């Protein structure tokens, strides 16, 4: 059974810092990995999708990497801003299934 | 930019009542999903739907749950007899081609069962 874990559960940093969020998964048989942002009481906004054949994807200040063999992904946020404060979720799409399996998220707070 | 929409944003119901949650997926998408998130917990998969039938469902999706695509635009989740533990945020999602494609999520419906 695929399990997805995100560390740390919460992170608070001052504005302007570069930071890394971690995601690990137990079964490397995945189609892809998605990073989402969730604001309190709101829906999920897709940030980046990395296919299993890819090593990384970039969108603006965000860079996500994938090491499928070790079951790890990182989300790098450059020059953090208060508006980046949210919960960040990673989810994997597993082979032979339609569903996404989610981690519990990292709650990020950027302090002005 | 096309987006998934959901109605209502918040639904309050009494235990034992039937509720229908509605979703309008992105128009050219072919795969539709329901997930739920109990407060403070992980987002959990409920069901996927393709070509007018359920393609996968989780253990949570028991006989109390059903899904339907009544017309060319709407996708609904029905809970026949709600329980207190059904209180959660319910998210609809859609994508174009199944597992290898990005899933796009709606804003969610918060269901409160009293």
């Amino acid at each position: 059974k695929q399990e997805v874990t995100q560390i740390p559960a919460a992170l608070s940093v001052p504005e302007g810092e570069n930071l890394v969020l971690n995601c690990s998964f137990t079964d490397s048989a995945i189609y892809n990995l998605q990073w989402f942002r969730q604001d309190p009481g709101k829906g999920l906004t897709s940030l980046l999708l990395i296919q299993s054949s890819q090593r990384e994807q970039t969108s603006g200040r965000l860079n996500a990497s994938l090491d499928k063999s070790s079951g790890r992904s990182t989300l790098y946020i450059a020059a953090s801003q208060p508006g980046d404060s949210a919960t960040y979720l990673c989810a994997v799409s597993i082979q032979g299934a339609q569903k996404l399996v989610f981690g519990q998220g990292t709650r990020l707070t950027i302090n002005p | 930019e096309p987006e998934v929409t959901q109605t209502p944003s918040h639904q309050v119901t009494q235990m034992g009542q039937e509720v229908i949650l509605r979703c309008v997926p992105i128009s050219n998408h072919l795969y539709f999903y329901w997930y739920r998130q109990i407060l403070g917990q992980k987002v959990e998969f409920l069901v996927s739907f393709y070509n007018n039938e359920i393609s996968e469902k989780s253990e949570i999706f028991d006989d109390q749950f059903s899904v339907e695509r009544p017309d060319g635009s709407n996708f609904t989740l029905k809970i026949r007899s709600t329980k207190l533990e059904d209180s959660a945020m319910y998210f609809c999602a859609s994508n174009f081609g199944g597992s290898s494609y990005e899933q796009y999520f709606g804003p969610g419906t918060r269901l409160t069962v009293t």
Side-chain angles (χ1 to χ4, degrees):
Chain A
K1 180 184 173 185
Q2 179 74 267
E3 296 283 347
V4 180
T5 304
Q6 292 186 247
I7 295 173
L11 181 65
S12 181
V13 301
E15 180 178 2
E17 280 203 3
N18 304 324
L19 57 98
V20 174
L21 307 181
N22 297 292
C23 172
S24 62
F25 46 96
T26 55
D27 187 344
S28 62
I30 65 170
Y31 278 126
N32 58 53
L33 184 145
Q34 260 183 277
W35 282 94
F36 294 89
R37 169 185 173 135
Q38 184 176 30
D39 292 286
K42 302 294 184 182
L44 308 179
T45 301
S46 181
L47 298 173
L48 288 164
L49 171 76
I50 312 179
Q51 299 290 355
S52 61
S53 58
Q54 297 176 315
R55 299 285 291 184
E56 65 178 70
Q57 278 286 354
T58 298
S59 176
R61 294 183 293 109
L62 306 180
N63 176 277
S65 69
L66 175 63
D67 184 343
K68 199 175 73 162
S69 61
S70 67
R72 293 180 182 179
S73 176
T74 62
L75 179 67
Y76 174 83
I77 303 177
S80 58
Q81 303 170 358
D84 295 329
S85 297
T87 296
Y88 290 80
L89 304 173
C90 73
V92 296
S93 172
I94 59 179
Q95 292 183 10
Q98 298 290 324
K99 62 184 178 185
L100 289 176
V101 178
F102 282 81
Q104 74 274 31
T106 293
R107 189 172 69 253
L108 176 64
T109 303
I110 307 298
N111 301 302
Chain B
E1 184 174 329
E3 58 183 18
V4 177
T5 60
Q6 292 185 242
T7 55
S9 57
H10 190 192
Q11 174 94 43
V12 181
T13 190
Q14 289 189 328
M15 195 168 50
Q17 295 297 305
E18 174 184 287
V19 294
I20 297 176
L21 309 183
R22 291 181 168 81
C23 168
V24 179
I26 293 173
S27 61
N28 65 339
H29 285 182
L30 302 176
Y31 289 78
F32 314 115
Y33 310 84
W34 284 101
Y35 293 81
R36 78 174 186 188
Q37 186 178 34
I38 295 171
L39 189 63
Q41 298 188 20
K42 291 184 178 184
V43 176
E44 303 172 286
F45 169 78
L46 293 177
V47 66
S48 61
F49 191 85
Y50 169 72
N51 200 25
N52 281 321
E53 61 182 27
I54 291 173
S55 51
E56 187 179 357
K57 61 182 181 180
S58 72
E59 295 174 349
I60 304 168
F61 194 88
D62 60 21
D63 292 344
Q64 292 300 310
F65 292 88
S66 63
V67 290
E68 190 178 29
R69 186 153 165 85
D71 53 43
S73 58
N74 290 283
F75 179 52
T76 62
L77 174 69
K78 181 192 292 186
I79 309 174
R80 288 189 181 81
S81 178
T82 50
K83 306 170 189 171
L84 294 176
E85 54 264 37
D86 293 328
S87 294
M89 183 77 97
Y90 288 80
F91 294 109
C92 174
S94 68
N95 67 1
F96 181 74
S99 306
S100 60
Y101 287 75
E102 188 171 2
Q103 290 191 22
Y104 294 86
F105 282 70
T109 292
R110 179 167 300 284
L111 176 65
T112 302
V113 182
T114 62

